[in-house]
């Protein structure tokens, strides 16, 4: 068992206060967007034995276990994060595994540098993800039903939005959503900027269900992604609730602190709310044009006290233990690699190499098969693999 030393990424959308408040440290005045826990080469966690990705590369079966290494290769298949959004992230989708492999191979064949700003596929993996709220957490997830989206646009009373609402009423679901998103992203930028400005003013005036979109427009004035965002469901998670984001589902995080876990990939196709590259043809190939409920997840408790967030993929499994004072120790030994992250109290994680008291935001890595036990009081998130 290794205590992890983790990197905080200072992305511009990050909150200046949420991660410091959890850690009990003074804000620096700079955004602190994500704390990464894992073996991603972009910001691998450190241990007393060395960087985690080097430890795994040196002994993948010993660190990951034979099942995980055999199924996912010689790398930790997930990345765990604390995510603190102080402003909206880009409106985006992720490819499925087949699309990622195809897209990566095509860009490699074309000789596009891996760090080129117009590159879509940084690797050949998919990127399903799960975010669990630690504070009230706002996001957008999945398309509204076309008729509902049309009524929402009509409610703004903006003449230039009427053609989009008419399209949403006039076509079958998939065709309507595809045609409207295509039209929004292909519209004249100057005309669309004027429409977004009008829509933002109306949303500010109307408030209620329109308020989140007025806030988005404040951060991205004139961006056509503001109107595209209105096609999506707004959801507010309460602490302990979660969202699963599968392939092709458009989404954006708007604000709040959460624990996020994802397959180890950087593949993102952006729809808007960003100055970065938007590849419209590739985006339209990846997006699943179907209405969907955001599907708020609540953990399912087991007799051992483990509360599991069930998802349909194998690269990660997220659960938590909410330990009351005086609770008996819990054995969390597993044949797969684990990261244990404390978010409240001062629980203890112990194994053959010692005992670690974990303050909020602190974490340990447990190699596959190593004896591990939780004790003390507090909340611990457990990230591991389904192998």
């Amino acid at each position: 068992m290794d205590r992890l030393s983790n990197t905080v990424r200072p992305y511009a959308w990050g909150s200046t206060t949420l991660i410091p408040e959890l850690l009990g440290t003074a804000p620096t005045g700079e955004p602190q967007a994500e704390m990464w826990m894992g073996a991603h080469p972009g910001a691998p966690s450190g241990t007393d034995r060395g960087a985690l990705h080097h430890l795994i590369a040196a002994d993948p079966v010993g660190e990951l276990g034979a099942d995980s290494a055999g199924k996912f290769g010689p790398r930790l298949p997930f990345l765990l994060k604390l995510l603190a959004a102080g402003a909206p992230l880009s409106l985006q989708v992720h490819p499925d595994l087949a699309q990622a492999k195809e897209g990566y191979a095509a860009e490699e064949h074309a000789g596009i540098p891996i760090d080129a700003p117009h590159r879509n596929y940084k690797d050949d993996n998919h990127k399903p993800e799960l975010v669990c709220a630690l504070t009230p957490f706002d996001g957008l997830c999945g398309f509204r039903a076309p008729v509902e989206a049309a009524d929402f646009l009509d409610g703004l009373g903006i003449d230039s939005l009427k053609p989009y609402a008419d399209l949403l009423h006039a076509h079958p679901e998939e065709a309507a959503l595809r045609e409207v998103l295509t039209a929004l992203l292909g519209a004249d930028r100057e005309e669309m900027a004027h429409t977004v400005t009008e829509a933002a003013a109306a949303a500010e005036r109307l408030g209620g269900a329109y308020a989140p979109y007025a806030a988005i427009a404040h951060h991205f004035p004139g961006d056509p992604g503001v109107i595209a965002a209105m096609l999506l469901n707004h959801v507010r998670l309460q602490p302990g609730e979660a969202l699963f984001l599968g392939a092709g589902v458009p989404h954006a995080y708007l604000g709040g602190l959460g624990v996020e876990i994802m397959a180890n990939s950087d593949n993102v196709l952006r729809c808007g709310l960003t100055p970065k590259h938007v590849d419209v043809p590739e985006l339209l190939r990846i997006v699943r044009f179907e209405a969907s409920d955001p599907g708020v997840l609540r953990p399912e408790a087991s007799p051992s006290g483990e509360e599991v967030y069930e998802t349909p993929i194998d690269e990660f499994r997220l659960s938590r233990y909410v330990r009351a004072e005086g609770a008996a120790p819990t054995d969390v030994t597993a044949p797969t690699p684990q990261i244990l992250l404390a978010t409240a109290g001062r629980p203890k994680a112990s194994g053959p190499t010692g005992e670690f008291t974990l303050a909020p935001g602190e974490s340990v890595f447990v190699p596959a098969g190593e004896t591990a036990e939780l004790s003390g009081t507090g909340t611990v998130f457990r990230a591991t693999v389904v192998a």
Side-chain angles (χ1 to χ4, degrees), residues 285-356:
R285 189 177 78 88
I286 298 302
V287 171
R288 292 185 178 176
F289 290 98
E290 55 188 39
S292 61
D293 185 274
V296 174
L297 295 177
R298 296 171 181 85
E300 298 183 15
S302 69
S304 69
E306 184 180 26
E307 300 176 346
V308 181
Y309 294 91
E310 296 288 353
T311 63
I313 51 91
D314 293 342
E315 281 87 345
F316 61 76
R317 175 182 182 274
L318 186 71
S319 61
R320 68 174 184 174
Y321 291 87
V322 182
R323 296 188 50 81
E325 187 173 354
T330 302
D331 182 7
V332 292
T333 305
T336 50
Q338 304 182 72
I339 293 178
L340 304 175
L341 165 67
T343 59
R346 295 186 68 85
K348 296 178 173 63
S350 57
T353 55
E355 181 178 87
F356 299 92

Side-chain angles (χ1 to χ4, degrees), residues 233-252:
N233 301 294
H234 172 255
V235 60
R236 165 162 277 205
L237 301 178
Q238 296 304 316
E241 295 180 333
L243 281 178
F244 174 73
L245 291 314
V249 177
H251 62 276

Side-chain angles (χ1 to χ4, degrees), residues 4-362:
L4 296 179
S5 172
N6 304 308
T7 299
V8 175
R9 310 306 294 266
Y11 304 135
W13 50 261
S15 167
T16 59
T17 59
L18 288 172
I19 287 179
E21 285 173 0
L22 182 73
L23 301 180
T25 59
T28 64
E30 299 297 318
Q32 298 186 42
E34 295 181 345
M35 176 186 286
W36 287 21
M37 290 157 278
H40 192 289
S45 297
T47 77
D48 288 342
R49 296 188 289 145
L52 187 56
H53 66 317
H54 289 154
L55 298 181
I56 291 171
D59 184 10
V61 172
E63 300 291 340
L64 303 176
D67 289 344
S68 180
K71 188 171 186 177
F72 301 111
R75 64 178 183 177
L76 188 67
F78 64 82
L79 177 64
L80 184 67
K81 300 178 180 180
L82 285 173
L83 183 145
L89 282 67
S90 61
L91 192 61
Q92 59 189 256
V93 296
H94 306 303
D96 64 25
L97 190 56
Q99 292 165 338
K101 289 183 181 299
E102 181 183 348
Y104 179 77
E107 292 187 331
E108 287 288 283
H109 181 74
I112 302 173
I114 201 74
D115 58 352
H118 63 289
R119 174 116 186 192
N120 295 314
Y121 297 94
K122 304 299 177 67
D123 52 69
D124 63 355
N125 199 15
H126 63 166
K127 193 187 178 188
E129 57 192 42
L130 175 77
V131 63
C132 177
L134 296 179
T135 67
F137 191 98
D138 284 283
L140 306 173
C141 179
F143 285 112
R144 303 173 189 266
V147 171
E148 181 187 341
D151 290 344
F152 195 79
L153 294 181
D154 280 338
L156 291 166
I158 307 298
D159 289 342
S160 53
L161 288 178
K162 190 175 187 307
Y164 302 110
D166 289 344
L167 285 173
L168 290 165
H169 279 299
H171 293 275
E173 177 178 291
E174 181 178 348
L177 294 170
R178 179 183 292 276
E179 195 163 340
V180 169
L181 185 62
T182 303
L184 287 171
L185 297 179
D188 179 86
R189 295 288 294 192
E190 188 173 333
E191 291 181 8
M192 181 53 65
H194 180 70
T195 295
V196 172
T197 299
E198 284 191 294
E204 183 77 33
R205 183 179 67 254
L206 291 167
Y210 291 97
Y213 303 93
I216 293 170
H218 174 76
H219 289 283
F220 296 96
D223 191 314
V226 174
I227 307 301
M230 293 182 180
L231 304 177
L232 307 187
N233 301 294
H234 172 255
V235 60
R236 165 162 277 205
L237 301 178
Q238 296 304 316
E241 295 180 333
L243 281 178
F244 174 73
L245 291 314
V249 177
H251 62 276
Y253 301 146
L254 304 180
L257 177 67
V259 174
E260 184 184 37
I261 189 168
M262 63 186 62
N264 217 342
S265 172
D266 287 329
N267 289 327
V268 176
L269 281 298
R270 295 176 178 85
C271 314
L273 310 182
T274 178
K276 295 182 179 179
H277 176 61
V278 177
D279 183 336
V280 175
E282 186 65 9
L283 171 71
L284 296 175
R285 189 177 78 88
I286 298 302
V287 171
R288 292 185 178 176
F289 290 98
E290 55 188 39
S292 61
D293 185 274
V296 174
L297 295 177
R298 296 171 181 85
E300 298 183 15
S302 69
S304 69
E306 184 180 26
E307 300 176 346
V308 181
Y309 294 91
E310 296 288 353
T311 63
I313 51 91
D314 293 342
E315 281 87 345
F316 61 76
R317 175 182 182 274
L318 186 71
S319 61
R320 68 174 184 174
Y321 291 87
V322 182
R323 296 188 50 81
E325 187 173 354
T330 302
D331 182 7
V332 292
T333 305
T336 50
Q338 304 182 72
I339 293 178
L340 304 175
L341 165 67
T343 59
R346 295 186 68 85
K348 296 178 173 63
S350 57
T353 55
E355 181 178 87
F356 299 92
T357 298
L358 302 178
E362 294 184 337

